[in-house]
Amino acid sequence: MSGKPGYHGVILNIDLSTGKSEKVVVPPEDLDNFVGGQGLGMKILWDRLKKPGVNPLSPDNPLMFMPGPFSGLPVPSSSRTCVVTKSPITSPVKSDYPHASTVSYSNIGGFFGPEIRFAGYDGIVITGKATELCYVVIDDGKVEIRDAKKFRGMRTDAFDKAILSELGDRRFKTVYIGPAGENLVPYSSILHTAGRAAGRGGVGCVMGSKNLKAIAVKGSGQPDVADHKRFLAAIEKARLALRNSAFAKAMAEQGTARAIVGNSNAGTEAVRNYREGTFPEADKISGDAARRDVWVKDIACYCCPLACKKSGVTRGKYGGIVHDGPEYETGVMLGSNLLISDMPGLLKAIYTLDDLGLDQISTGNVIGFLMEAYEKGLIDRNFLDGIDLKWGNVDATLAMIEKIAARDGVGDLAAQGVRALSRQIGQRSEKFAIHVKGHELAAHNIQANQPRGLSYATAQRGACHMSGDNIAMQNKRAMLDSIGLCLFPTFEPKLEEPMLSLLSAITGREYDKAEFEKTGERIFNLEKMFNYREGFRREDDRLPDRFFEDAFTIGPKKGSVLDRNQFDAMLTQYYKDRGWDTETTKPGKLKLKELGLDSI
Amino acid sequence: MDREKKETDRSNKGTNFTRREFIKGIGIGGGAVVLFGQFGVHGLAWALSGDPQLKMVLVDYAKCTGCRTCEAACSSRNRPVSIDHQELPGLGNPRYANIRVHSFNPDVDVPSVCAMCADTPCVKACPVDPDSKTGRRALYRDQATHTIYNDPGRCIGCRSCAKACAGQRTGVIIPNPATGKPERMCTLCGGDPQCVKRCPFGALSYVEVRRDRKFYGLGPEKIAAELGKSWYGIADFGGIK
């Protein structure tokens, strides 16, 4: 143990090849410099993968579940765990290494991260590969690898019940993959509580490559804090800030789904494979509609007063239980992006994706691409194994989802993502293959939102809507993903001061706004160093041609399109401000020295 | 100590009233169903009941989001720490919470807390001979607070109280894994239950109740099955007892 307050000072390392697990002490300076969560995960990734080009699906690639210093303490909204690994999805235009790819991070709410800390660890690092499908049980200090062959192919909803039934104790918190992850679909997700996902960046595929079906954690301990009195005072302030927050109330009311109508009206929604920014039928899949017709209950993550998650039930042909949704991302990617406005059908698609363990965003994006290619006659029904994949067709969408998860027929190609599909189809289809570095874009459209375009282009896991629209936001969010706090409550400006005070009180290290962002900048730059070493350059920070060529034809932002020169100029300025080379994007020596990254 | 106002009252502003009222009606724990919506739980008096009137923590299951803030609040109060010779609230490790949220799939969350049973099956199960002066067994009900206490000096760790609670009522009493002595009896925080005060969603109330309430003294699985049937048309939660 390091004895550093706010931390246990150890991660749990589990090598599935040997079956051995051990507590590994984290160097105290790493906790100071990289904090936890995404940051500490990236430092471990950097340390473990000393050379570029490691195959992300090889036993060498570590898969990490990283809570932060807030996790396990009753700080409002401190539920997040960051899954960190090397991406099985991305690749650069050119590289000397066949398996070159970016870092990957994917954030998940719920109860898993806090439970890791209750069990006595600041993170779980999985390496190696089991010979047969297995799952890991962690009960405080006791670690056990168990056979999971009987669970092979089991969908996540059924598995969520089955594993707790087998463990016989509902206090275990579990994460697991579905059939898609077992089948190594690159954009597979990792599920928690059947309705929460670390969706992006292919983390479920890496888990599948290790023959790891699930991890169950239960713990009884808790890390200490550096300044108990200050912690109590700051937590009171944080609660107060959120109690009186109009934003927090809005999240409780509709979750992120409230943006489905809002962004459509603003012309910033992904509609018809990003062809448009406004969906005339947005109200049919909106938070209002869901509240009226679907939702039974609001659901919150650990100690969160926002409760942005919902559960409900639909009836009719596509009827069934709804674990979540529509959220903004799921509702748009499977709704407006595919011109689906049938609420039960939309929710059936969302449920099925979670059930199979597929990323909602990438899958919605892939199906949107195929619908457009089909409409344009670039592919025929034969190519689609007989599926009539027309805009708005729910049955066809569900059929395609099943094929992707099973990697059956056309699903095997579709599972490789829009970039692979467009290479196969050709005929200039790459223009509307909506990805950056091979990672599909999310539900925010950008013809009328250039800053979000910068987020997509420069984010470290490939296209990412969460990374931030400018340098300050990117740095701040890298940090949020590292402390274990959710992004959403931080939209309440009054939370900032208590948040900084809490981090200082927990770790005993004084954080003001500048130090907070500086630490985030260090994390972001370490990720850039990793990606640069793999071979990613400026040519990889490019957006699909659609955004520069296809102006919106409807909605309030009709006529909007990005200007290539303007966007390039913005990128150049971005690299300059970052202290990176504007041609190669290599982080400059001065910047690395300033951040203390020159020595690693 | 004066009872402080609950942290928030997220009533159903802006939601579809009819549907929410319907759901809420199913979700409240008990005979309060009819009256709750109109008068509020705090106004309820159970003058008709012949049972002793006991104040306890009442749950509105439709409002519970499963966030477990109540667990942290309970633990923080009931597991204080001593710093510079001063007793301060603890860090809220849920391991030491007397209220526990049981979460199910599909989503039903059941905070489970001592039912303050008038007939105290846990106390009756205690095999320790009553003390000649106080008449108390090792496990006893405090006459002032009506909460259940255990005298660890006399407790033999036989787990009978936990078995009685699990068999007949909520099952909140859990024997300490090492000593077998009972834990997690609600203290009501000296009349100011922190779970009620801290719940961000107004799902908990501190009220007088009578034991013919709908969910009175039921274990979380039974409550979840009932709610699951009402909300989702399903009572199967994967078979964990």
Side-chain angles (χ1 to χ4, degrees):
Chain A
M1 316 286 155
S2 70
K4 262 187 85 63
Y7 297 95
H8 294 291
V10 292
I11 52 157
L12 176 63
N13 197 104
I14 302 169
D15 183 344
L16 293 176
S17 295
T18 62
K20 280 193 182 131
S21 65
E22 59 176 337
K23 283 184 179 182
V24 178
V25 173
V26 183
E29 64 270 23
D30 282 359
L31 297 174
D32 283 342
N33 293 330
F34 301 98
V35 187
Q38 188 186 125
L40 184 58
M42 291 300 168
K43 178 61 169 49
I44 294 169
L45 192 71
W46 177 263
D47 288 344
R48 302 261 179 122
L49 301 185
K50 291 186 167 47
K51 282 185 199 150
V54 170
N55 183 348
L57 301 186
S58 74
D60 293 337
N61 187 18
L63 176 70
M64 294 171 262
F65 295 83
M66 305 299 294
F70 280 27
S71 310
L73 296 166
V75 177
S77 312
S78 58
S79 71
R80 310 295 297 188
T81 319
C82 200
V83 185
V84 180
T85 191
K86 184 171 187 276
S87 175
I89 293 178
T90 51
S91 62
V93 175
K94 291 194 297 276
S95 174
D96 298 336
Y97 316 103
H99 294 293
S101 71
T102 61
V103 296
S104 189
Y105 52 88
S106 194
N107 201 300
I108 190 170
F111 304 89
F112 195 67
E115 203 68 35
I116 292 174
R117 295 258 289 178
F118 295 147
Y121 313 101
D122 295 321
I124 299 172
V125 180
I126 310 279
T127 58
K129 179 183 178 177
T131 50
E132 304 268 14
L133 195 65
C134 71
Y135 73 97
V136 170
V137 184
I138 301 162
D139 192 349
D140 279 320
K142 209 174 111 202
V143 183
E144 200 184 328
I145 299 170
R146 292 191 194 168
D147 181 70
K149 285 202 290 293
K150 62 173 174 278
F151 297 125
R152 180 174 291 286
M154 195 180 266
R155 297 183 179 218
T156 64
D157 193 6
F159 181 77
D160 180 71
K161 295 173 184 169
I163 186 171
L164 286 184
S165 188
E166 174 149 306
L167 293 166
D169 184 347
R170 213 177 294 104
R171 295 300 280 197
F172 275 104
K173 301 302 168 199
T174 56
V175 289
Y176 36 83
I177 56 172
E182 292 176 39
N183 296 334
L184 303 184
V185 175
Y187 48 90
S188 297
S189 57
I190 296 174
L191 270 289
H192 170 53
T193 66
R196 294 176 169 98
R200 303 243 67 201
V203 291
C205 179
V206 174
M207 190 154 163
S209 78
K210 303 197 171 304
N211 262 330
L212 180 61
K213 178 74 175 174
I215 304 172
V217 181
K218 181 162 74 76
S220 59
Q222 199 182 30
D224 209 350
V225 300
D227 185 339
H228 197 97
K229 283 183 187 169
R230 188 178 179 191
F231 175 80
L232 293 178
I235 208 169
E236 212 53 50
K237 275 194 183 165
R239 284 177 182 144
L240 196 69
L242 293 176
R243 188 205 306 175
N244 299 324
S245 162
F247 178 81
K249 283 195 175 63
M251 289 303 276
E253 186 46 45
Q254 293 205 352
T256 57
R258 81 199 168 101
I260 291 174
V261 167
N263 285 10
S264 176
N265 289 341
T268 56
E269 192 143 302
V271 179
R272 205 184 169 90
N273 195 33
Y274 302 81
R275 182 64 190 80
E276 304 292 348
T278 298
F279 186 41
E281 296 181 275
D283 60 320
K284 292 188 188 167
I285 55 169
S286 67
D288 279 333
R291 177 63 80 190
R292 184 182 65 230
D293 300 331
V294 179
W295 291 338
V296 169
K297 188 165 133 56
D298 304 337
I299 297 173
C301 297
Y302 189 67
C303 287
C304 183
L306 268 56
C308 69
K309 186 172 161 12
K310 316 291 167 195
S311 78
V313 64
T314 56
R315 309 202 187 282
K317 182 183 173 190
Y318 302 116
I321 285 168
V322 175
H323 282 292
D324 192 15
E327 297 173 291
Y328 179 70
E329 288 298 327
T330 58
V332 168
M333 293 312 297
L334 281 307
S336 63
N337 195 46
L338 309 183
L339 303 190
I340 287 175
S341 58
D342 174 81
M343 179 72 89
L346 167 64
L347 292 175
K348 177 77 178 177
I350 292 170
Y351 172 85
T352 306
L353 286 172
D354 272 353
D355 209 19
L356 292 166
L358 281 169
D359 177 25
Q360 307 260 354
I361 293 173
S362 281
T363 312
N365 187 314
V366 163
I367 293 175
F369 171 85
L370 286 171
M371 283 179 169
E372 180 163 354
Y374 184 49
E375 181 193 39
K376 289 188 161 144
L378 309 184
I379 55 175
D380 59 13
R381 200 159 162 175
N382 202 28
F383 180 96
L384 295 168
D385 297 344
I387 298 172
D388 190 23
L389 201 60
K390 289 204 175 88
W391 294 112
N393 187 334
V394 174
D395 286 331
T397 298
L398 293 172
M400 185 53 68
I401 289 169
E402 296 286 345
K403 280 205 166 262
I404 291 170
R407 289 180 58 176
D408 170 42
V410 65
D412 192 32
L413 179 59
Q416 306 309 314
V418 288
R419 183 174 51 182
L421 274 168
S422 70
R423 280 178 184 160
Q424 178 78 23
I425 293 168
Q427 308 170 77
R428 278 220 73 208
S429 62
E430 73 274 8
K431 171 184 158 179
F432 59 88
I434 308 299
H435 71 91
V436 173
K437 304 177 180 73
H439 196 228
E440 287 79 13
L441 268 70
H444 300 256
N445 208 351
I446 52 176
Q447 280 93 329
N449 188 1
Q450 180 170 288
R452 189 56 48 86
L454 180 85
S455 176
Y456 282 135
T458 59
Q460 306 291 18
R461 68 178 177 192
C464 171
H465 63 294
M466 303 293 281
S467 177
D469 298 349
N470 55 54
I471 291 173
M473 273 170 80
Q474 286 181 330
N475 293 346
K476 186 180 169 191
R477 290 186 180 185
M479 192 59 179
L480 288 176
D481 272 9
S482 300
I483 62 178
L485 187 69
C486 181
L487 169 67
F488 292 152
T490 67
F491 289 129
E492 168 55 55
K494 289 205 181 83
L495 189 67
E496 182 166 59
E497 192 269 315
M499 176 189 75
L500 294 170
S501 189
L502 277 166
L503 186 58
S504 307
I506 292 167
T507 62
R509 192 168 191 267
E510 201 56 33
Y511 284 92
D512 57 11
K513 203 177 164 196
E515 181 61 19
F516 191 85
E517 285 185 12
K518 177 67 68 188
T519 312
E521 187 182 9
R522 181 180 303 119
I523 293 161
F524 197 86
N525 273 270
L526 178 65
E527 295 170 355
K528 179 65 194 176
M529 286 165 70
F530 186 101
N531 291 351
Y532 185 84
R533 190 175 68 178
E534 295 279 321
F536 288 87
R537 300 293 182 266
R538 179 164 178 159
E539 63 199 4
D540 296 296
D541 293 356
R542 76 181 289 280
L543 296 173
D545 291 339
R546 157 147 292 167
F547 300 115
F548 303 101
E549 296 177 10
D550 293 342
F552 291 152
T553 66
I554 56 166
K557 293 290 163 64
K558 184 176 169 179
S560 291
V561 70
L562 293 183
D563 179 89
R564 216 180 275 277
N565 292 333
Q566 214 180 322
F567 191 78
D568 268 358
M570 180 174 68
L571 268 184
T572 301
Q573 189 60 45
Y574 169 85
Y575 300 132
K576 268 188 200 155
D577 293 346
R578 274 272 178 215
W580 300 350
D581 187 287
T582 55
E583 296 300 314
T584 65
T585 71
K586 184 178 187 180
K589 276 192 182 129
L590 271 177
K591 178 53 77 180
L592 295 186
K593 191 162 182 199
E594 175 196 327
L595 297 170
L597 291 170
D598 51 333
S599 52
I600 70 167
Chain B
M1 191 190 296
D2 283 342
R3 278 208 55 226
E4 288 178 55
K5 220 171 167 283
K6 264 185 291 168
E7 279 209 331
T8 61
D9 180 17
R10 281 227 180 84
S11 51
N12 304 303
K13 256 181 275 171
T15 65
N16 184 293
F17 202 66
T18 316
R19 184 182 169 81
R20 296 285 277 178
E21 286 302 295
F22 166 72
I23 291 162
K24 200 165 68 172
I26 297 164
I28 297 168
V33 166
V34 181
L35 291 172
F36 185 93
Q38 292 162 26
F39 304 112
V41 170
H42 300 283
L44 297 178
W46 297 102
L48 295 175
S49 168
D51 289 331
Q53 291 183 2
L54 297 174
K55 280 182 96 176
M56 65 166 281
V57 175
L58 183 79
V59 183
D60 181 343
Y61 299 104
K63 283 187 180 171
C64 176
T65 66
C67 73
R68 299 169 66 196
T69 303
C70 53
E71 293 185 13
C74 175
S75 169
S76 188
R77 164 65 68 96
N78 291 294
R79 184 90 173 176
V81 294
S82 176
I83 290 176
D84 303 334
H85 310 291
Q86 189 187 353
E87 192 177 272
L88 293 170
L91 293 177
N93 182 349
R95 157 73 181 80
Y96 303 105
N98 300 328
I99 187 168
R100 292 227 143 178
V101 182
H102 297 255
S103 296
F104 296 83
N105 171 9
D107 296 291
V108 177
D109 297 294
V110 182
S112 189
V113 66
C114 177
M116 307 284 299
C117 308
D119 57 345
T120 58
C122 54
V123 172
K124 284 180 184 148
C126 180
V128 175
D129 286 336
D131 181 271
S132 56
K133 267 191 247 164
T134 62
R136 286 172 178 169
R137 303 169 193 261
L139 198 74
Y140 63 95
R141 159 163 270 151
D142 182 278
Q143 288 312 311
T145 64
H146 297 303
T147 53
I148 306 296
Y149 285 94
N150 185 50
D151 180 345
R154 298 173 66 215
C155 176
I156 56 172
C158 72
R159 299 162 198 252
S160 302
C161 52
K163 274 179 212 148
C165 182
Q168 299 173 49
R169 300 291 152 83
T170 60
V172 288
I173 299 179
I174 303 289
N176 181 292
T179 64
K181 295 179 185 182
E183 293 178 349
R184 299 187 196 157
M185 292 81 72
C186 176
T187 67
L188 291 174
C189 300
D192 181 23
Q194 295 298 297
C195 54
V196 173
K197 190 168 151 184
R198 294 289 185 194
C199 175
F201 303 99
L204 303 175
S205 309
Y206 180 45
V207 290
E208 286 177 357
V209 288
R210 59 180 189 184
R211 59 180 185 162
D212 59 352
R213 282 190 313 115
K214 188 175 178 191
F215 293 125
Y216 182 84
L218 290 184
E221 289 79 12
K222 284 181 183 154
I223 294 172
E226 189 94 2
L227 295 172
K229 242 186 289 175
S230 309
W231 291 347
Y232 307 110
I234 191 169
D236 173 22
F237 293 100
I240 317 172
K241 290 292 171 296

